[in-house]
Amino acid sequence: MYIKKILWAIAIVGLIAAAAFAYYIYGVMLAPNTNFNNNEAYIYVKTTDGYNEVRQQLKPLLEDIDKFDVLAKQKQYTNNVKPGKYAIKKGMSNNDIINSIRSNNIPVKVSFNNQNSLEKLAGRVANQIEADSLELLQAMTNTSFLNDNNFKEETALGMYIPNSYEFYWNTSAEDFRARMLKEYKRFWNDTRMAKARNVGLSQSQVIALASIVYEESKARSEQPRIAGVYMNRLRIGMPLQADPTLKFAAYKLPKYKNTVIKRVLNVHKEIDSPYNTYKKRGLPPGLIAMPDISAIDAVLNYEKHNYLYFAADAKRFGYHKFAKTLAQHNVNARAYQRYLSSQGINR
């Protein structure tokens, strides 16, 4: 009897120990361990991060970081941290969290448009992926890369076709640049290349002209007509006389730093710059802004007509009046100048 009691006691103690161990394992591995109200939270693991940096991000999101540490060490995550963006769903266990941040790197959408310089583009992209703006700008302006791919400093911005793209958050500056070159080549498919040859322009020239068209009008329905005006001027050797190029040239001068030119004046037409299309015939050496795809296609599919002039329409904001003769254009231009004066816009 005495031995039976001992055996029973040992068995009970064993069961209690097993239950306690099972409870501990459940608490460490399988019990929910999140501490936030949203359905999901995200952590961003840099390429240079180790476990301590990941732990700092996780600590405010978890109820018990110490239990997470135990399992992370057991599953060897502490020595196998991987960069990327990772989601943690509300109610996840430590085991689920480790599985997620070990293998479920989430793609991010990278979007950009209307960036009128590589510096601004780099800043915009840096807010969306791991690479910082300096790294991106250095990659974008790398002389060897530009030479190898037939770009110049003046045309480099044209390689970045504005759109939304899917990347992993931990994409490097060089990988971002490589992907954008691939997208550029994909954009310039056989159809667009044939259209460029048909209008007599190179890819860089198409984008340079498209940047002017885009700065003249954001109205997609009007862009092919404006492109047609400029193509007519190029055909007859007439200067483009594009006001947006004067603004671009002016903003490069210290005199106009941190200013906004609302009205192009005669003084702007005297600026000595290769972008002054009142003085220089033909296209400027590069684009003056990042054009939308609509403006690029507007150049490739420009409207064929006899218009040589256009002026902003004071009665239809964002649209223009077109003219075939200088006399009619002067009438349209004076009407718009009167409108600007009535609004107190003198410079």
Side-chain angles (χ1 to χ4, degrees):
M1 291 291 295
Y2 180 72
I3 294 176
K4 282 187 176 181
K5 289 181 179 180
I6 292 175
L7 292 175
W8 274 109
I10 292 172
I12 291 171
V13 170
L15 288 172
I16 293 173
F21 180 73
Y23 182 76
Y24 173 76
I25 293 299
Y26 173 78
V28 169
M29 291 191 63
L30 304 177
N33 192 28
T34 56
N35 188 31
F36 51 85
N37 293 323
N38 295 333
N39 290 328
E40 286 185 328
Y42 299 95
I43 64 169
Y44 296 83
V45 183
K46 295 181 180 179
T47 303
T48 55
D49 282 350
Y51 181 68
N52 286 337
E53 288 76 18
V54 176
R55 189 181 191 275
Q56 288 175 7
Q57 290 195 61
L58 288 174
K59 188 173 182 179
L61 302 176
L62 305 185
E63 288 186 357
D64 192 331
I65 190 65
D66 293 329
K67 288 182 178 179
F68 182 84
D69 289 337
V70 171
L71 190 60
K73 185 175 182 179
Q74 182 182 341
K75 297 191 72 169
Q76 299 183 351
Y77 175 75
T78 53
N79 298 318
N80 192 27
V81 171
K82 295 181 180 179
K85 175 185 177 181
Y86 299 98
I88 301 171
K89 296 182 179 180
K90 185 178 180 180
M92 267 188 169
S93 67
N94 289 330
N95 193 57
D96 291 335
I97 294 169
I98 292 173
N99 288 342
S100 179
I101 64 178
R102 171 179 280 167
S103 58
N104 293 333
N105 192 359
I106 301 173
V108 297
K109 287 287 187 182
V110 175
S111 302
F112 56 85
N113 62 359
N114 300 336
Q115 310 301 309
N116 61 10
S117 69
L118 289 174
E119 289 82 0
K120 290 184 178 179
L121 175 61
R124 168 71 173 150
V125 174
N127 288 328
Q128 301 175 76
I129 63 174
E130 180 185 356
D132 65 33
S133 58
L134 180 58
E135 292 171 333
L136 286 162
L137 184 59
Q138 288 174 340
M140 292 172 179
T141 57
N142 180 273
T143 303
S144 296
F145 173 82
L146 295 179
N147 291 339
D148 290 345
N149 293 284
N150 298 317
F151 289 103
K152 299 178 181 179
E153 183 180 344
E154 297 86 355
T155 62
L157 182 63
M159 193 190 89
Y160 301 89
I161 305 297
N163 213 326
S164 292
Y165 302 94
E166 194 172 86
F167 284 90
Y168 285 113
W169 178 80
N170 52 301
T171 298
S172 69
E174 290 74 17
D175 286 344
F176 173 79
R177 181 188 66 189
R179 168 72 182 284
M180 288 296 95
L181 177 61
K182 183 177 179 180
E183 293 295 340
Y184 175 83
K185 292 178 178 179
R186 179 179 293 151
F187 176 82
W188 284 102
N189 54 30
D190 291 344
T191 300
R192 285 194 173 97
M193 289 293 291
K195 288 181 177 181
R197 288 192 295 270
N198 188 51
V199 302
L201 299 176
S202 68
Q203 294 161 255
S204 292
Q205 288 175 323
V206 169
I207 293 179
L209 182 53
S211 70
I212 297 173
V213 171
Y214 186 67
E215 289 300 290
E216 291 282 16
S217 178
K218 304 301 186 288
R220 294 188 177 190
S221 61
E222 204 179 58
Q223 288 172 347
R225 178 165 292 188
I226 291 175
V229 170
Y230 286 127
M231 290 301 295
N232 287 344
R233 292 180 180 182
L234 286 172
R235 187 180 67 253
I236 65 175
M238 176 181 174
L240 293 185
Q241 298 181 337
D243 287 356
T245 66
L246 297 186
K247 292 182 180 181
F248 181 83
Y251 289 143
K252 288 186 172 293
L253 301 176
K255 177 181 178 181
Y256 295 97
K257 186 177 181 179
N258 299 322
T259 64
V260 177
I261 299 173
K262 295 183 178 180
R263 185 171 185 171
V264 172
L265 305 173
N266 286 332
V267 66
H268 299 130
K269 298 176 184 178
E270 299 303 316
I271 294 174
D272 184 18
S273 168
Y275 290 89
N276 184 341
T277 56
Y278 277 79
K279 283 190 169 186
K280 308 290 184 179
R281 294 180 185 273
L283 289 164
L287 62 169
I288 61 172
M290 178 182 285
D292 271 4
I293 292 174
S294 64
I296 299 173
D297 284 338
V299 172
L300 294 175
N301 302 280
Y302 72 89
E303 183 180 314
K304 293 176 175 59
H305 52 59
N306 295 320
Y307 295 122
L308 284 173
Y309 307 94
F310 63 95
D313 189 341
K315 295 183 178 180
R316 297 179 68 216
F317 183 77
Y319 290 86
H320 297 79
K321 290 183 177 180
F322 294 81
K324 297 177 182 178
T325 66
L326 181 59
Q328 182 58 54
H329 171 67
N330 287 337
V331 171
N332 296 337
R334 282 194 293 269
Y336 187 65
Q337 295 298 326
R338 286 195 298 271
Y339 166 76
L340 291 178
S341 297
S342 71
Q343 299 299 308
I345 301 173
N346 300 312
R347 57 189 178 90

